[in-house]
């Protein structure tokens, strides 16, 4: 599913068709905590499950979790963080283990480590080395930033994505609470000659206090505060209780029906898997 809008006209009916398509087969992101297999038992059989890398746990924990998820029949997608890897040999080892486990896709990020641990300074370096090693998995994703990045200039982000597109198969947008920004990003990517399918990254059903705390950690706190102050786009965000992505996803569907080229949905579950899966079932019924 590369284009959700095929056959969907503009306006309400198109947005509805697109909403159903968006909700049809989302990816689920989890962190590689000790209970990750228990959490995954709430996911649909065979779902695509992406596994984050944190500087604290390192890439090995992510690879081990991906192996275990693949053994349970999930389409596991480990995040490989360039700055958390020591050298090419360590990368080769991880890629061999993943291939042996039947993992066919990875998501390549620079990583949140302030300094590179070794020879790989950023995502592009990792992409190139995977190819030089002859160990590129069949499918590779990279992140992108509709709301900008708190430490990286927009010009650098766009220039990088332009080059990365020749090494990647799709991009997932960073956590962003404004559907219009995501739609605008998809249009601007096309205008800049970037043809990668754009998968919209949205938060799952997450306790609001937890969502704010994690937004601070990953550098999107300003966006989270902005969302709170603007009812309409993501008005439920950070009010006491739970954030649900209904408004955000409806906004994305409307944008896609009006021409923004979105290829699917990536749910940042922050390990709140069960409530996110329950929300998805409910949202699908409402959109059918
Ligand atoms: N969007 C997402 O889903 C995810 C994003 N991230 C984080 O987003 C950040 C960027 O990752 P990628 O997009 O893979 O970028 P990247 O590592 O490929 O870097 C993109 C460009 O920005 C430069 N750069 C990187 N960090 C910088 C810094 N602190 N200051 C100035 N320039 C810098 C790089 O040299 C490169 O030219 C990282 O912190 C990464 O961990 C991590 C996981 C998931
Ligand atoms: N800069 C950046 N780094 C990331 O790692 C990242 C992004 N952006 N954007 C989107 C997602 C969100 N990410 C996250 C962040 C935290 C948890 C999380 O659940 N953290 C747990 C602890 C996990 C652990 O113990 O390893 C927590 O309670 O903080 C999950 C995914 C990963 N991704």
């Amino acid at each position: 599913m590369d284009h959700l809008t095929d056959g969907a006209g503009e306006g309400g009916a198109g947005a509805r068709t697109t909403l159903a398509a968006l909700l049809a087969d989302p990816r689920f992101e989890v962190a590689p905590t000790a209970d990750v297999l228990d959490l995954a038992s709430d996911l649909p059989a065979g779902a695509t499950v992406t596994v984050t890398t944190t500087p604290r746990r390192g890439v090995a924990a992510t690879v081990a979790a991906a192996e275990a998820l693949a053994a349970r029949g999930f389409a596991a997608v480990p995040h490989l963080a360039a700055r958390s890897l020591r050298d090419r040999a360590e990368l080769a080892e991880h890629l061999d283990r993943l291939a042996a486990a039947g993992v066919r896709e990875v998501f390549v990020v620079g990583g949140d480590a302030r300094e590179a641990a070794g020879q790989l300074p950023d995502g592009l370096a990792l992409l190139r080395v995977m190819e030089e090693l002859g160990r590129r998995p069949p499918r590779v994703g990279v992140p992108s930033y509709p709301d900008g990045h708190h430490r990286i200039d927009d010009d650098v982000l766009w220039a990088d994505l332009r080059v990365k597109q020749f090494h990647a198969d799709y991009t997932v947008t960073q956590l962003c609470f404004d559907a219009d920004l995501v739609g605008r990003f998809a249009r601007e990517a096309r205008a800049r000659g970037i043809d990668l399918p754009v998968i919209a990254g949205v938060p799952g059903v997450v306790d609001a206090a937890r969502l704010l705390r994690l937004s601070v950690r990953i550098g999107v706190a300003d966006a989270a505060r902005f969302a709170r102050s603007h009812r309409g786009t993501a008005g439920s965000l950070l009010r006491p209780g739970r954030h649900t992505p209904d408004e955000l996803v409806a906004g994305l569907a409307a944008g896609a029906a009006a021409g923004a080229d979105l290829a699917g949905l990536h749910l940042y579950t922050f390990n709140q898997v069960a409530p996110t899966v329950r929300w998805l079932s409910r949202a699908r019924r409402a959109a059918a």
Side-chain angles (χ1 to χ4, degrees):
M1 176 176 58
D2 271 354
H3 305 280
L4 292 169
T5 48
D6 292 351
E10 300 230 352
R16 203 174 168 78
T17 311
T18 311
L19 181 58
L22 261 183
L23 296 169
D25 188 23
R27 302 147 56 95
F28 300 88
E29 183 181 289
V30 298
T33 50
D35 61 346
V36 68
L37 286 183
D38 289 339
L39 296 174
S41 65
D42 288 315
L43 291 168
T48 299
V49 186
T50 83
V51 186
T52 63
T53 289
T54 57
R56 188 166 61 83
R57 288 180 191 269
V59 177
T62 301
V63 169
E67 278 181 316
L69 287 162
R72 298 273 175 107
F74 293 107
V77 183
H79 293 208
L80 300 181
R83 284 190 286 280
S84 289
L85 289 167
R86 202 173 51 246
D87 53 22
R88 300 161 68 103
E90 186 191 353
L91 176 62
E93 229 172 86
H94 291 314
L95 291 170
D96 286 347
R97 266 182 71 177
L98 292 168
V103 171
R104 298 174 52 76
E105 177 174 340
V106 298
F107 191 70
V108 171
V109 299
D112 292 318
R114 285 294 176 108
E115 305 283 334
Q119 301 168 348
L120 299 166
D122 56 30
L124 186 56
L126 201 165
L127 290 166
R128 288 182 167 140
V129 170
M130 283 200 309
E131 289 166 14
E132 286 166 22
L133 290 168
R135 287 175 168 89
R136 181 197 192 276
R139 210 169 132 75
V140 176
V142 295
S144 53
Y145 304 89
D147 218 354
H149 187 283
H150 65 304
R151 284 199 229 112
I152 308 175
D153 281 348
D154 279 356
D155 289 349
V156 175
L157 291 173
W158 281 118
D160 245 62
L161 193 58
R162 254 188 94 85
V163 181
K164 283 179 183 177
Q165 72 171 321
F166 301 112
H167 303 274
D169 299 286
Y170 65 90
T171 180
V172 175
T173 57
Q174 171 66 302
L175 191 58
C176 172
F177 303 100
D178 186 333
D180 292 340
L181 279 182
V182 177
R184 208 177 302 158
F185 168 82
R187 290 169 191 273
E188 187 168 354
R190 297 297 175 262
R192 287 174 178 264
I194 296 167
D195 296 325
L196 289 175
V198 176
I199 297 175
V202 308
V205 175
V206 186
D207 170 76
R210 180 175 169 80
L211 186 54
L212 180 58
R213 180 170 62 78
L214 294 169
S215 293
V216 170
R217 185 177 313 161
I218 66 177
V220 300
D222 286 348
R225 292 195 189 95
F226 174 87
R228 176 166 55 172
S229 67
H230 286 68
R231 302 174 126 260
T233 9
S236 68
L237 182 74
L238 310 184
R239 288 198 212 108
R242 277 177 170 179
H243 166 73
T244 70
D246 294 277
E247 286 176 70
L248 185 51
V249 173
L252 290 170
D261 193 5
L262 298 180
L265 215 58
H266 176 105
L267 290 167
Y268 295 110
T269 71
F270 296 102
N271 286 12
Q272 308 295 290
V273 175
T276 299
V277 169
R278 280 195 296 272
W279 166 82
L280 182 63
S281 304
R282 198 166 22 79
R284 275 185 186 146
R285 280 197 300 275

